[in-house]
Amino acid sequence: MSGRKAQAARNDELILQAARAVFTADPGAPIAAVAEKAGVGISALYRRYPSKEALLQKLCGDGLKLYIEVTERALAEEGDAWEAFAGYLRGIVDADTNSLTIKLAGTFHPTEELHHDAARSGALATEIHRRTVEAGALRPDVTVADIALLLEQIASIRLGDEKRTAQLRHRFLALATDALRVPPGHRELPGPPPEDEELSARWSPG
């Protein structure tokens, strides 16, 4: 990679890191705040991303691809179904893709590629859920959408620095997974589970 291309790649990484930090803290922040945090000129940012909409699409697209990667890796595990599922949950918490959903759903118009990747991620989540239920390891009254909202709740935990936040998220994930595993040993869940349509509707700008 030439010096100019290497610098462009570094700038792109700085921009995306800054954009994630800025927009998960304040989805309404101007794109200039991203350039300032990244330490790059606004013209350099606009050469790569012509609008805030394009930058948000890129952020969420990368998040979906990471979600797909983590889930495919868990599905490739041939050992204990519960351990593969628990590893999937830990991987999603570490990837922190749900912070993007919490903050950015409905703030931009998804592209066709995003719709395609969302469908792929949904299919993978359904498959690892099905496999774990059929193995008798995951309580059958918990749905894929239940798991999605559970992961969002864990992603909402922010306390102290990044290390402390990660510790607390995994602590509460461990508490949650104990409730998910068969045998449950407690009463039936109250109320109907969330519907896929309820979750997907959030991505349509109001």
Side-chain angles (χ1 to χ4, degrees), residues 99-120:
S99 288
L100 299 173
T101 300
I102 294 169
K103 293 293 187 176
L104 302 182
T107 63
F108 65 95
H109 293 86
T111 63
E112 283 302 314
E113 182 179 3
L114 284 171
H115 283 302
H116 176 272
D117 286 346
R120 173 64 177 158

Side-chain angles (χ1 to χ4, degrees), residues 101 105-106 143 145-146 148-149 152 191-204:
T101 300
T143 69
D146 283 324
L149 286 182
E152 288 183 26
E195 299 288 342
D196 291 341
E197 292 77 10
E198 293 178 284
L199 302 186
S200 60
R202 300 175 299 171
W203 290 98
S204 298

Side-chain angles (χ1 to χ4, degrees), residues 37-53:
K37 186 170 184 64
V40 302
I42 192 70
S43 59
L45 190 154
Y46 274 121
R47 279 196 298 271
R48 187 69 183 86
Y49 302 101
S51 65
K52 180 178 177 179
E53 178 105 340

Side-chain angles (χ1 to χ4, degrees), residues 2-3 8 10 18 28 31 34 47 62 75 77 79 93 106 110 114 121 177 183 185 197:
S2 69
R10 284 193 294 270
I31 199 169
V34 176
R47 279 196 298 271
D62 286 352
L75 282 167
E77 294 289 332
V93 168
L114 284 171
S121 68
T177 51
E197 292 77 10

Side-chain angles (χ1 to χ4, degrees), residues 29-154:
I31 199 169
V34 176
E36 181 179 357
K37 186 170 184 64
V40 302
I42 192 70
S43 59
L45 190 154
Y46 274 121
R47 279 196 298 271
R48 187 69 183 86
Y49 302 101
S51 65
K52 180 178 177 179
E53 178 105 340
L55 187 50
L56 292 175
Q57 289 167 346
K58 171 63 174 174
L59 274 180
C60 289
D62 286 352
L64 276 171
K65 287 178 171 57
L66 183 55
Y67 183 99
I68 289 169
E69 178 185 328
V70 170
T71 314
E72 286 180 336
R73 187 164 58 243
L75 282 167
E77 294 289 332
E78 297 180 353
D80 182 85
W82 173 258
E83 289 305 318
F85 183 74
Y88 151 74
L89 295 178
R90 290 191 296 268
I92 296 301
V93 168
D94 285 337
D96 197 22
T97 57
N98 291 96
S99 288
L100 299 173
T101 300
I102 294 169
K103 293 293 187 176
L104 302 182
T107 63
F108 65 95
H109 293 86
T111 63
E112 283 302 314
E113 182 179 3
L114 284 171
H115 283 302
H116 176 272
D117 286 346
R120 173 64 177 158
S121 68
L124 291 169
T126 298
E127 175 59 19
I128 195 165
H129 176 275
R130 180 199 62 75
R131 188 177 77 171
T132 315
V133 169
E134 289 184 357
L138 175 64
R139 52 185 295 176
D141 57 345
V142 171
T143 69
V144 176
D146 283 324
I147 299 297
L149 286 182
L150 174 64
L151 289 169
E152 288 183 26
Q153 290 169 8
I154 291 170

Side-chain angles (χ1 to χ4, degrees), residues 154-168:
I154 291 170
S156 72
I157 297 171
R158 293 181 183 275
L159 190 64
D161 58 16
E162 289 185 7
K163 181 179 180 181
R164 182 58 177 148
T165 291
Q167 288 175 334
L168 288 170

